[in-house]
Amino acid sequence: MLGDGQVSAGVTGDAAAGSNATGETPMTPPFSVLMAVYAGDERDYLRRAVLSNTLEQTCVPAQLVIVRDGPVPASIQAFLDGLDAWLAAAFARAGRREAAPEAIVLELARNSGLAHALNQGLRRCRYDLVARADSDDISLPARFATIIPLLDGSHGESHRAPRHDSHGPHPGQYDIVGSAIREFSGDERHPGQARTLPAGGKKLLDFARVQSPLHHPSVAFRKSAVQRVGGYPEHSGRFEDYLLWERLILAGARLHNVVEPLVLYRVDAGAYQRRGGWDMFRDELALQRRFRADGFTSAAQFVRNVAIRALYRLMPTGLRKLGYRALIAVRSVMRNAGHNAGRKLGNVSSNGRRKAQRNRGSGRSSERSSGNNDGFNDGLSNGRNGRRNDGGSSSNGSGRGSSEHGNSGHSNSERSISEMNESKNRGAR
């Protein structure tokens, strides 16, 4: 392996992501997947994350970039050392027609935090379209087939206002796209609550003034748009992702969320405890001050946000957990009610259009409309980032060893390959 600032290239994959398991070629451009790993990570979780973001995808990335953020345990280092050969063997065993992604491992001599690691990794990403992935989460097979086309356009970032109408999102329209995520702990076959966010438009921009508008482990973006605003803000505590979203919004970037969960988000036993405490509140207070100084929030919004965060971050862990789950449940009910109401309105509208079309003798079929979805996001991923960023040293991270190991990568890849035909149809929407 190479030292800080150097890379090792593995299996080639310069061509666009190839055919899927059925032999059909997805109409998506080549893209990179960017991941970072540090001393607190688990090798089995990392293996599972790599498989889910490469072999198990209906649209395979052309490149996988993993940044080793400082020294890691010997088991993880051994896995990284043999990554390219391991990926090639996995693709061969699965009988995939396309080649395994080009595998690049960038080794940083010391742990300097997630933002620095991702900025270094972005420089090694060959393609303008980049999908983020965390080293312990699981991407569902249709993830890239769903979100990459929404970024694929002939032009880079622009300042056009996003369009959101009954026809849904438009391919190639957005600069950054995320999705809903679903939590799980231990066994990925038994996921828990889904966490959704507003899809886009004014609703999403208003939401961004209250809470993070994107789930960081779910996003894909134009590298050019991110680099235009300076990349991930370094030395920003636990909230480098939220601060990046603010910079993108102020620069006129176009954001969108897919309402379906496309990522399984691992939650371990210490997740709720890490979300609270004075250190977390101080970082969040600094973030809110930055938002106010940038003109991202008003004085009233600043006061409201600080009051809410003081209450949430400083309450006992047990109450925080109960409050979070209650809010998620309420939001889920509201979202489903809104969705059902939207479907009813869409059916009424469709019936009216069909009747009018019959009267005009057009005979054309009408189109359906769907209700808007809303959700709640309390920054759980920021609590996770705190394990990496405290003091800039991996020794301060508690790791993820308190949660159970997921299923082995091999067994899950075989299961997911058999599900690809079904997932492909969902992802192509």
Side-chain angles (χ1 to χ4, degrees):
M1 303 298 286
L2 304 176
D4 196 356
Q6 296 178 291
V7 298
S8 60
V11 181
T12 59
D14 291 346
S19 61
N20 56 35
T22 65
E24 300 175 0
T25 301
M27 299 300 293
T28 57
F31 62 96
S32 303
V33 171
L34 175 60
M35 188 181 298
V37 60
Y38 82 124
D41 283 320
E42 297 269 349
R43 186 200 62 174
D44 289 346
Y45 296 167
L46 175 61
R47 285 165 52 99
R48 184 74 191 94
V50 169
L51 277 177
S52 75
N53 284 286
T54 56
L55 177 65
E56 296 175 8
Q57 289 296 310
T58 56
C59 288
V60 176
Q63 182 189 41
L64 171 65
V65 177
I66 298 182
V67 183
R68 195 205 70 180
D69 191 13
V72 294
S75 59
I76 292 180
Q77 186 63 59
F79 174 72
L80 295 176
D81 289 342
L83 177 61
D84 39 7
W86 181 80
L87 266 179
F91 270 70
R93 285 196 303 270
R96 298 298 296 267
R97 295 185 179 183
E98 62 272 68
E102 174 190 22
I104 290 180
V105 175
L106 170 64
E107 294 190 341
L108 304 182
R110 62 185 181 89
N111 178 282
S112 299
L114 182 60
H116 178 74
L118 295 180
N119 283 334
Q120 295 299 311
L122 274 177
R123 297 174 183 174
R124 302 301 191 270
C125 289
R126 185 186 301 274
Y127 305 101
D128 190 49
L129 302 187
V130 177
R132 273 281 292 119
D134 274 356
S135 56
D136 61 351
D137 294 333
I138 298 170
S139 291
L140 298 179
R143 182 190 171 199
F144 299 147
T146 302
I147 64 176
I148 295 299
L150 298 177
L151 297 166
D152 178 24
S154 57
H155 303 289
E157 183 181 10
S158 77
H159 296 277
R160 291 183 292 107
R163 295 173 295 162
H164 297 280
D165 56 27
S166 60
H167 299 284
H170 299 270
Q173 181 183 352
Y174 305 103
D175 299 297
I176 180 166
V177 177
S179 77
I181 61 177
R182 189 176 293 278
E183 297 178 358
F184 79 103
S185 179
D187 191 342
E188 67 186 77
R189 295 171 298 181
H190 302 289
Q193 292 178 307
R195 296 166 54 194
T196 63
L197 296 166
K202 184 178 184 300
K203 195 171 186 179
L204 181 59
L205 295 179
D206 289 344
F207 187 89
R209 269 70 180 182
V210 184
Q211 296 184 56
S212 178
L214 299 160
H215 295 304
H216 191 197
S218 76
V219 302
F221 49 73
R222 300 180 192 276
K223 181 176 71 170
S224 55
V226 170
Q227 291 181 327
R228 193 170 293 128
V229 298
Y232 281 89
E234 300 186 22
H235 313 296
S236 56
R238 299 166 171 85
F239 298 97
E240 66 276 325
D241 53 340
Y242 197 175
L243 191 52
L244 175 59
W245 313 152
E246 181 233 18
R247 288 181 176 181
L248 287 167
I249 290 172
L250 291 177
R254 302 156 295 171
L255 282 65
H256 181 73
N257 279 308
V258 176
V259 297
E260 294 88 357
L262 297 177
V263 172
L264 299 182
Y265 182 89
R266 191 182 300 274
V267 180
D268 64 26
Y272 294 99
Q273 183 176 1
R274 286 191 298 273
R275 289 192 220 169
W278 283 103
D279 288 343
M280 177 69 80
F281 176 66
R282 279 193 292 267
D283 280 356
E284 198 146 30
L285 179 60
L287 178 75
Q288 293 301 321
R289 286 173 172 166
R290 178 62 180 270
F291 286 172
R292 182 72 193 100
D294 291 344
F296 186 62
T297 56
S298 66
Q301 290 171 333
F302 171 79
V303 172
R304 175 201 62 193
N305 292 348
V306 170
I308 291 173
R309 279 151 177 77
L311 176 64
Y312 181 72
R313 299 300 182 190
L314 302 180
M315 68 172 54
T317 300
L319 289 178
R320 187 181 305 113
K321 180 177 181 179
L322 289 174
Y324 166 74
R325 294 201 172 277
L327 281 170
I328 288 292
V330 169
R331 291 285 185 171
S332 178
V333 170
M334 294 174 63
R335 183 181 69 254
N336 291 335
H339 180 68
N340 292 335
R343 290 182 61 185
K344 290 179 181 179
L345 288 174
N347 291 335
V348 170
S349 177
S350 296
N351 290 335
R353 286 196 297 270
R354 283 196 293 268
K355 184 175 180 180
Q357 288 166 349
R358 286 197 300 268
N359 292 337
R360 293 193 303 268
S362 66
R364 290 179 300 175
S365 62
S366 61
E367 298 180 353
R368 297 171 55 221
S369 64
S370 61
N372 292 326
N373 292 281
D374 195 359
F376 173 79
N377 170 34
D378 78 329
L380 176 59
S381 61
N382 293 321
R384 172 189 284 179
N385 293 345
R387 286 176 291 173
R388 303 182 54 126
N389 296 336
D390 286 343
S393 171
S394 60
S395 62
N396 292 324
S398 61
R400 301 179 175 97
S402 56
S403 59
E404 299 174 12
H405 286 282
N407 297 326
S408 70
H410 180 66
S411 62
N412 277 288
S413 65
E414 291 177 342
R415 174 168 54 83
S416 295
I417 288 296
S418 68
E419 296 170 353
M420 280 185 178
N421 291 339
E422 179 181 354
S423 300
K424 175 179 69 63
N425 294 328
R426 293 198 304 270
R429 290 179 302 179

